[in-house]
Amino acid sequence: MGLEEKLPSGFLLNTVENLASLARKSSVFPATFGLACCAIEMMTTGAGRYDLARFGMEVFRGSPRQADLMIVAGRVSQKMAPVLRQVYDQMPNPKWVISMGVCASSGGMFNNYAIVQGVDHIVPVDIYLPGCPPRPEMLMDAILKLHEKIRGEKLGVNREQAAREAEEAALKALPTIEMKGLLR
């Protein structure tokens, strides 16, 4: 004998948190941050054949102040790292990051002083997308996984505290180049 049984049919019960997360999930605006060949695949994903508009992402924003998703597509050089961080800091909260391609995720085949060995040393990454370059279908799958993650996030002070802790942990992580074990 719950409240659901007393209401007439056609009523939907939900929490404000679930409704807000549904709205946030359905209106993610990506920022354009294409750095190399992966950017071409990212642009293809936004074209008519793959149609990101189905997921509420039809417009790639030119200004970070209008975006809440950064797709880092391609290798990040040491010179570009401060610019990437500045764009990330200008984005309003809540914000998410997809690391697209093996170069953005781990430096790829460019194991030298000029390329950052993983964008997660600059900004906290939510979804890692492998491939060289990853196909548009893979990016769409990563976006759908991000939607699931957004849908499960909490609102308010607890979310802000968790985001701060995740960012601090990501920035303190051991660089990939210094890791030992299966990599070397």
Side-chain angles (χ1 to χ4, degrees):
M1 290 308 272
L3 180 63
E4 297 87 8
E5 295 171 2
K6 303 239 185 244
L7 291 174
S9 64
F11 275 89
L12 177 69
L13 297 177
N14 211 336
T15 64
V16 173
E17 193 168 83
N18 284 341
L19 293 174
S21 66
L22 177 66
R24 282 191 314 187
K25 170 189 93 70
S26 302
S27 62
V28 176
F29 297 119
T32 54
F33 209 87
L35 299 169
C37 44
C38 290
I40 296 168
E41 299 294 326
M42 180 177 66
M43 289 181 247
T44 303
T45 308
R49 182 174 187 151
Y50 296 99
D51 193 23
L52 276 178
R54 293 179 289 169
F55 308 112
M57 300 177 62
E58 58 268 6
V59 180
F60 279 83
R61 301 297 173 177
S63 169
R65 290 174 182 87
Q66 299 173 348
D68 51 8
L69 169 64
M70 177 186 282
I71 302 173
V72 181
R75 60 188 177 271
V76 180
S77 67
Q78 295 289 349
K79 282 182 149 183
M80 188 56 75
V83 177
L84 176 77
R85 184 62 198 203
Q86 182 179 11
V87 169
Y88 177 80
D89 289 339
Q90 290 176 351
M91 291 170 58
N93 284 328
K95 51 191 167 188
W96 301 278
V97 177
I98 293 178
S99 176
M100 182 177 177
V102 70
C103 293
S105 298
S106 66
M109 66 196 95
F110 304 102
N111 190 6
N112 61 31
Y113 65 92
I115 302 298
V116 175
Q117 299 298 310
V119 75
D120 54 352
H121 296 292
I122 301 160
V123 295
V125 176
D126 296 296
I127 303 285
Y128 292 93
L129 182 57
C132 184
R135 297 273 310 139
E137 296 91 352
M138 294 171 69
L139 178 58
M140 291 175 68
D141 183 58
I143 289 168
L144 291 175
K145 285 185 169 79
L146 181 67
H147 283 183
E148 292 172 14
K149 182 177 181 176
I150 292 170
R151 191 76 198 265
E153 287 181 350
K154 300 291 181 192
L155 294 177
V157 180
N158 295 332
R159 187 194 181 290
E160 292 174 6
Q161 177 69 20
R164 273 195 301 275
E165 290 173 0
E167 185 171 354
E168 289 172 8
L171 293 175
K172 290 179 185 175
L174 184 66
T176 310
I177 192 79
E178 295 175 11
M179 291 182 181
K180 304 292 181 204
L182 295 176
L183 297 174
R184 300 274 170 177

